[in-house]
């Protein structure tokens, strides 16, 4: 049996198209322990996520973490679960639809947008196969992580390339590795804060909280820390903030090893104990609200700040389907698909269809079945 996916749906007059694969981290199928066990097993088995030799890590994962952690995580997910299911998946679907609509306005040719999750569903494999059935011959992979990190961006590429290794006919391929300093991204963050402050009383300090990674990853060459610093600096400059008016922090540490500092919870506690009464928290590393923003930042860290003496705590939502955010992502797609037929204003559907029909006739004259 062949290890490659057969081109069973191909016929000589089939129209080509460009594909865009949006990738985010993932979510369990339901807020219950069995779903979390499957999700965490896939997530924590990824060597990009946990860089510990498998012989040492798997006993810890299988015997210590998976028997207990899923039930704890399920309770956290229950706090944020909605009628539409996982917030991350629901918002990501809305982003996909908004981007598809905007690209149809911008490009004359067919550009298909699919959403995938690195862990859980919809899987990268399934979403790539959907694009394949759409006749995608040019593919852009866009991980929805502004700052590059091996544990997020690179592993999205790993899974995509692994699937493409199964294909007999591999499309032209381009990737987006980061957009942490894209002017449109910084402007979207800036305006989201101005709009929030127009409706809500502004806090004394703005905390910019990014997802953490082990400090060891930085020393081994991962650029994530530096890109977070640049995002925060550019955002602070756009907002005209003085150094004492904002903090850059890192959240979601796991295990006993040292992670990137300063830690978000410790910073919030110190601010409250130091006399700061009100803070606003934004998470510029998340394209869509999820467990880490809605439960950890909006709920857990709020308790940390208030219990330490703070009085007012506000979480500023992620960009989600914000108009400027969608426009920026489409600008990014337009930039990275330059030169491809479907995104060129010279694209002529009627002419291409006639050429495709002629190609099919010639192929059939040569003995092709379709």
């Amino acid at each position: 049996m062949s290890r490659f996916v057969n081109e069973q749906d191909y016929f000589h007059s089939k129209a080509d198209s460009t594909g865009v694969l949006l990738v985010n981290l993932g979510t369990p199928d339901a807020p219950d322990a069995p779903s979390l066990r499957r999700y965490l097993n896939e997530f924590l088995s990824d060597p990009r996520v946990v860089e510990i030799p498998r012989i040492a890590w798997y006993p810890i994962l299988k015997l210590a973490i998976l028997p207990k952690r899923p039930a704890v995580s399920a309770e956290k997910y229950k706090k944020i679960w909605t009628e539409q299911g996982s917030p991350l998946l629901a918002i990501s679907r809305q982003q996909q639809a908004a981007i598809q609509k905007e690209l149809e306005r911008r490009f004359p040719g067919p550009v298909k947008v699919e959403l995938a999750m690195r862990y859980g569903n919809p899987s990268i494999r399934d979403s790539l196969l959907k694009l394949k059935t759409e006749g995608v011959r040019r593919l852009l992979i866009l991980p929805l992580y502004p700052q590059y990190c091996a544990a997020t961006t690179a592993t999205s590429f790993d899974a995509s390339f692994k699937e493409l290794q199964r294909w007999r006919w591999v499309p032209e391929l381009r990737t987006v590795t980061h957009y942490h300093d894209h002017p449109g991204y910084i402007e979207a963050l800036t305006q989201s804060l101005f709009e929030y402050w127009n409706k809500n009383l502004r806090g004394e300090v703005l905390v910019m909280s990014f997802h953490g990674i082990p400090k060891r990853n930085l020393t081994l060459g991962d650029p994530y820390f530096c890109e977070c610093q640049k995002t925060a600096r550019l955002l602070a400059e756009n907002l005209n903030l003085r150094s004492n008016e904002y903090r850059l922090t890192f959240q979601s540490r796991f295990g006993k090893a040292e992670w990137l500092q300063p830690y978000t919870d410790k910073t919030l506690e110190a601010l409250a104990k130091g006399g700061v009464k009100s803070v606003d928290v934004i998470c510029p590393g998340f394209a869509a609200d999820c467990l880490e923003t809605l439960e950890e930042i909006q709920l857990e860290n709020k308790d940390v700040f208030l219990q330490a003496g703070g009085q007012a705590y506000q979480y500023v939502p992620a960009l989600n389907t914000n108009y400027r955010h969608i426009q920026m992502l489409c600008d990014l797609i337009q930039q990275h698909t330059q030169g491809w037929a479907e995104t060129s204003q010279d694209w002529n559907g009627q002419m291409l269809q006639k050429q495709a029909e002629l190609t099919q006739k010639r192929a059939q004259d040569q003995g092709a079945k379709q």
Side-chain angles (χ1 to χ4, degrees):
M1 183 176 178
S2 174
R3 62 186 290 264
F4 300 110
V5 176
N6 293 330
E7 300 292 328
Q8 295 175 336
D9 60 346
Y10 176 76
F11 51 92
H12 281 87
S13 62
K14 188 171 187 178
D16 290 353
S17 63
T18 287
V20 178
L21 183 69
L22 307 174
V23 185
N24 213 318
L25 187 74
T27 179
D29 294 324
D32 55 43
S35 298
L36 264 298
R37 188 172 295 108
R38 290 191 300 272
Y39 175 74
L40 290 174
N41 183 52
E42 183 182 8
F43 175 50
L44 297 175
S45 294
D46 187 343
R48 290 280 196 184
V49 173
V50 181
E51 295 187 29
I52 297 175
R54 304 294 91 179
I55 193 171
W57 172 241
Y58 277 153
I60 299 173
L61 175 62
K62 304 295 184 181
L63 301 178
I65 296 176
L66 291 181
K68 298 178 181 179
R69 185 79 178 182
V72 175
S73 295
E75 291 304 312
K76 294 178 181 290
Y77 272 99
K78 287 177 183 177
K79 295 178 183 179
I80 65 164
W81 213 257
T82 70
E83 292 182 358
Q84 292 75 39
S86 160
L88 175 61
L89 182 56
I91 293 168
S92 297
R93 289 290 193 199
Q94 293 167 8
Q95 291 173 330
Q96 174 194 0
I99 291 170
Q100 180 71 71
K101 183 177 180 180
E102 174 62 15
L103 294 185
E104 288 172 0
R105 187 190 70 81
R106 293 190 185 195
F107 298 144
V111 178
K112 310 296 183 179
V113 182
E114 284 293 337
L115 171 70
M117 295 294 170
R118 174 60 184 88
Y119 315 102
N121 296 304
S123 70
I124 285 177
R125 168 173 288 187
D126 289 347
S127 295
L128 282 173
L129 288 174
K130 282 186 179 180
L131 290 172
K132 186 175 184 296
T133 63
E134 296 282 358
V136 165
R137 295 293 175 224
R138 286 158 288 280
L139 174 64
L140 176 68
I141 302 174
L142 172 52
L144 294 172
Y145 310 114
Q147 299 79 22
Y148 174 93
C149 179
T152 53
T153 313
T155 191
S156 299
F157 296 151
D158 288 346
S160 300
F161 301 157
K162 184 178 180 180
E163 169 57 25
L164 292 174
Q165 286 178 344
R166 301 174 58 246
W167 291 21
R168 190 172 298 278
W169 191 346
V170 177
E172 293 181 56
L173 185 64
R174 294 178 185 174
T175 61
V176 180
T177 57
H178 58 190
Y179 52 92
H180 65 290
D181 57 355
H182 190 288
Y185 166 61
I186 301 301
E187 184 62 18
L189 289 171
T190 302
Q191 293 304 319
S192 73
L193 277 163
F194 282 147
E195 290 166 5
Y196 189 86
W197 287 335
N198 281 337
K199 298 176 182 178
N200 303 276
L201 189 63
R202 178 173 168 175
E204 298 170 57
V205 175
L206 175 65
V207 177
M208 306 179 195
S209 181
F210 296 82
H211 200 289
I213 62 172
K215 184 178 180 180
R216 176 177 178 272
N217 295 30
L218 168 64
T219 60
L220 291 176
D222 195 304
Y224 178 73
F225 177 81
C226 302
E227 295 194 356
C228 292
Q229 294 284 342
K230 188 171 185 181
T231 297
R233 174 176 61 80
L234 292 174
L235 180 55
E237 289 173 357
N238 253 26
L239 294 167
N240 294 315
L241 297 180
R242 296 187 293 269
S243 59
N244 66 324
E245 294 178 317
Y246 75 96
R247 300 288 190 279
L248 182 157
T249 64
F250 295 93
Q251 64 186 83
S252 309
R253 63 188 184 277
F254 178 77
K256 298 180 179 180
E258 181 181 358
W259 282 43
L260 297 181
Q261 295 193 40
Y263 298 138
T264 299
D265 54 356
K266 299 297 184 184
T267 299
L268 288 167
E269 183 179 19
L271 285 171
K273 290 182 177 179
V276 173
K277 299 301 181 184
S278 61
V279 295
D280 301 320
V281 185
I282 191 171
C283 297
F286 294 86
D289 277 315
C290 56
L291 183 75
E292 287 79 5
T293 63
L294 298 176
E295 198 278 333
E296 182 181 359
I297 293 297
Q298 193 169 23
L299 300 179
E300 287 187 20
N301 281 276
K302 179 178 182 179
D303 289 342
V304 169
F305 182 71
L306 298 181
Q307 290 175 10
Q311 295 180 0
Y313 179 102
Q314 298 181 126
Y315 167 63
V316 182
L319 291 175
N320 296 325
T321 56
N322 175 289
Y323 174 78
R324 294 184 184 86
H325 187 212
I326 299 301
Q327 292 296 310
M328 182 278 299
L329 290 172
C330 290
D331 289 346
L332 204 60
I333 292 168
Q334 188 165 0
Q335 172 191 341
H336 285 269
T337 57
Q338 289 184 63
W340 281 354
E342 292 75 26
T343 67
S344 170
Q345 295 305 312
D346 295 331
W347 187 86
N348 186 319
Q350 290 184 340
M351 182 184 70
L352 290 174
Q353 181 59 38
K354 289 180 180 179
Q355 290 177 346
E357 291 171 357
L358 180 59
T359 296
Q360 185 179 45
K361 183 178 184 306
R362 287 170 175 167
Q364 290 172 338
D365 289 344
Q366 294 294 322
K369 293 182 179 180
Q370 56 185 22

